[in-house]
Amino acid sequence: MFVVTKFGGSSLASAKQFKKVKDIVLADPKRKIVVVSALGKRDSNDSKITDLLYILHAHLKYSVPYEDVWKIIYDRYVEVRDDLKIDYKIEDELNLIKSQLDKNIPQDYLVSRGEFLAGKLMSSYLGYEFLDAKDAIEFNYDGTVNFDATEQKTKAKIAELKKVVVPGFYGAYANGVIKLFSRGGSDITGSIMAKSVNASIYENWTDVSGIMVTDPRIVKNPKTIKEITYNELRELSYMGANVLHEDSIFPVQELNIPIKILNTNEPNCEGTIISHECKDNSQAITGIAGKKNFVAITITKMHMSNEVGFLRKALSIFERYNISVEHMPTGIDTTSIVVARDQVEKCLYELVVDIKQELNAEVTVWEDVALIAVVGRNMANKRGLCGKLLTVLGENGVNMKMIDQGPDELNIILGINNCDYEKAIKVIYDNIM
Ligand code: ASP
């Protein structure tokens, strides 16, 4: 039985945090695979090592003196080692990296050293073996993960090494060249490890006691979600909820390995469990997320619904401009196509002209659209929820201009003006949650 345990940067920001990690890992002998991020911020004025490494790379690339940035990075790793009083000569690794610092050092390799060094320190501190992610996670040359090769390599390494620390955020192509995931990608490493060994659970330790129902910058101290399905979480993440890296859900979802979001600073808090099915189905709404800055392009043409191929033709124009469509609420003679503003900014005028000419239709454009996703696996069984949403928003002066319910009834998407965004989230949270 394996538990894969991933710790984010804030859980590794200092020796004090390393100690908490050790207590957590050693409390359960099933925690045999520990995945670590690079050292994170100790407080709000501090810097993340990954950010510093990107900056270091830019200095090297543009031949700007880099010693100061390098020294901050160097000192932080040495300081953690000293504070933990471990007998590990991290200077050797640091000096090896230093010797490679020149204009041509590949960015992915340099940035991956943040996780690599954190992994080295943690393995020495825990007494676990170090498993370099380049020997476990293999990328195809098109940038996707080669899951078969990864599973084979990981299984073989775990069978040999038993208990390991794996640095997150990177892997390598078959030729050994290091490749990074996108930012926040240590979550993906954890998920891939869990899939490869068919773990009983994937624990993701961070600095919050689970996933919050909505954005705490908008609603003060929102409730924590105890249970959520993978699909609900994907809906919320897609609409901006910043919890786990989006790509970290698929690998474990496939094998139905539950993910737990836990707090390194409060290890006894229950956190949030993400799985296929949840026991508690009393709440209609699981979470509320949203994003600003969409554009709704409304196309109107009499008898549009009777014109075979009309929607296909409309969508093919968007495809030609390489614009991905977010939502498409449709009436008899009218359809609205909602897209992210940054996708149409450069070509809005040309796009509208093409739609008018090719479809012989009227077009109106509504800019400054915010979308709010109200997500819940139990919404399908609750009558009157949409009505209630419309009522409370109306009563509180939010002009709702669009509503779109997913066919699986897992979400309701509301379109409002950007300026009403925060207010609408508060109103929904206060009145419906
Ligand atoms: N250290 C990387 C980042 O800051 C990866 C991670 O922490 O997941 O994006």
Side-chain angles (χ1 to χ4, degrees):
M1 274 276 219
F2 290 101
V3 172
V4 171
T5 318
K6 181 255 165 181
F7 292 90
S10 57
S11 307
L12 298 143
S14 62
K16 193 169 143 214
Q17 295 301 87
F18 268 64
K19 285 183 186 147
K20 292 181 192 169
V21 169
K22 186 172 189 172
D23 289 344
I24 291 168
V25 171
L26 299 187
D28 182 349
K30 292 194 288 306
R31 293 185 176 128
K32 292 179 196 153
I33 303 180
V34 178
V35 176
V36 292
S37 289
L39 312 194
K41 292 183 184 191
R42 289 161 291 190
D43 54 58
S44 53
N45 298 320
D46 203 9
S47 304
K48 287 175 83 166
I49 289 291
T50 305
D51 295 336
L52 293 172
L53 287 163
Y54 275 111
I55 292 169
L56 175 62
H57 186 262
H59 280 63
L60 292 161
K61 187 169 164 197
Y62 297 109
S63 305
V64 173
Y66 64 84
E67 277 74 15
D68 291 352
V69 186
W70 170 249
K71 186 168 170 359
I72 303 174
I73 298 168
Y74 186 100
D75 288 349
R76 281 205 57 194
Y77 283 96
V78 171
E79 186 183 311
V80 171
R81 191 275 320 273
D82 288 348
D83 290 351
L84 292 173
K85 300 189 175 43
I86 43 180
D87 184 20
Y88 170 61
K89 213 156 172 272
I90 191 125
E91 290 87 346
D92 290 350
E93 294 293 353
L94 286 158
N95 291 334
L96 182 68
I97 300 167
K98 173 94 197 310
S99 70
Q100 297 164 307
L101 295 181
D102 68 40
K103 231 177 154 45
N104 298 320
I105 187 165
Q107 187 183 56
D108 280 21
Y109 169 74
L110 179 58
V111 174
S112 73
R113 298 305 86 186
E115 270 63 17
F116 175 88
L117 292 166
K120 284 278 183 182
L121 273 183
M122 187 57 82
S123 76
S124 151
Y125 185 50
L126 290 178
Y128 277 29
E129 295 294 331
F130 177 77
L131 168 55
D132 194 341
K134 81 170 168 46
D135 302 323
I137 296 185
E138 184 173 319
F139 282 97
N140 296 312
Y141 289 104
D142 64 3
T144 55
V145 174
N146 181 335
F147 279 101
D148 290 339
T150 298
E151 191 172 323
Q152 267 180 26
K153 287 181 178 179
T154 303
K155 273 192 175 144
K157 286 285 179 192
I158 304 287
E160 177 195 334
L161 304 171
K162 310 285 187 255
K163 290 185 168 184
V164 295
V165 174
V166 188
F169 195 31
Y170 70 91
Y173 297 108
N175 63 7
V177 171
I178 299 275
K179 172 168 166 49
L180 292 177
F181 289 107
S182 55
R183 293 299 304 265
S186 299
D187 284 344
I188 312 176
T189 309
S191 179
I192 292 175
M193 288 293 125
K195 176 181 154 70
S196 299
V197 299
N198 198 358
S200 55
I201 191 152
Y202 169 27
E203 293 178 342
N204 193 296
W205 292 81
T206 169
D207 54 4
V208 285
S209 298
I211 303 172
M212 289 173 204
V213 166
T214 193
D215 188 339
R217 289 166 302 185
I218 300 176
V219 173
K220 219 170 154 215
N221 295 325
K223 293 182 222 166
T224 300
I225 301 171
K226 290 211 161 59
E227 294 177 278
I228 184 169
T229 64
Y230 300 113
N231 287 340
E232 286 176 304
L233 183 65
R234 285 190 35 230
E235 295 277 356
L236 287 172
S237 304
Y238 185 72
M239 282 302 282
N242 186 9
V243 189
L244 274 176
H245 194 297
E246 238 185 299
D247 296 342
S248 64
I249 301 172
F250 286 112
V252 284
Q253 180 172 13
E254 227 181 281
L255 298 184
N256 197 13
I257 299 168
I259 312 173
K260 259 192 173 187
I261 309 290
L262 295 156
N263 189 347
T264 304
N265 305 316
E266 294 193 39
N268 295 326
C269 279
E270 264 178 84
T272 301
I273 182 139
I274 307 155
S275 62
H276 264 308
E277 266 175 73
C278 302
K279 286 189 212 94
D280 178 9
N281 290 309
S282 56
Q283 284 284 330
I285 298 176
T286 307
I288 313 162
K291 283 190 208 164
K292 287 184 179 174
N293 299 328
F294 291 90
V295 175
I297 297 164
T298 302
I299 309 171
T300 308
K301 187 176 180 189
M302 287 309 249
H303 308 301
M304 182 189 100
S305 305
N306 298 332
E307 197 177 317
V308 175
F310 185 87
L311 291 179
R312 182 190 52 74
K313 280 187 227 151
L315 289 174
S316 70
I317 301 175
F318 285 80
E319 189 179 352
R320 202 162 68 220
Y321 281 89
N322 203 17
I323 297 169
S324 89
V325 170
E326 300 286 332
H327 291 283
M328 205 174 153
T330 300
I332 303 180
D333 292 328
T334 173
T335 184
S336 259
I337 300 189
V338 183
V339 299
R341 191 202 281 162
D342 57 7
Q343 294 227 0
V344 277
E345 233 155 25
K346 288 192 207 83
C347 58
L348 188 57
Y349 180 78
E350 290 81 353
L351 178 77
V352 170
V353 170
D354 283 3
I355 298 172
K356 280 186 177 170
Q357 283 177 353
E358 291 175 36
L359 301 178
N360 198 12
E362 296 287 312
V363 179
T364 51
V365 176
W366 169 31
E367 292 186 68
D368 300 322
V369 181
L371 296 179
I372 294 182
V374 180
V375 175
R377 60 188 177 278
N378 301 312
M379 287 196 315
N381 311 319
K382 294 273 184 306
R383 280 184 213 153
L385 192 74
C386 272
K388 212 169 164 193
L389 274 171
L390 297 180
T391 309
V392 292
L393 288 171
E395 279 171 0
N396 286 279
V398 176
N399 183 7
M400 186 152 60
K401 303 180 78 166
M402 200 189 80
I403 180 160
D404 191 11
Q405 184 170 35
D408 50 6
E409 295 186 57
L410 196 60
N411 68 11
I412 297 172
I413 306 287
L414 310 171
I416 54 171
N417 287 316
N418 265 342
C419 59
D420 285 334
Y421 176 71
E422 285 82 6
K423 183 175 174 185
I425 291 201
K426 272 197 206 114
V427 167
I428 300 171
Y429 181 84
D430 289 342
N431 294 280
I432 315 231
M433 291 297 305

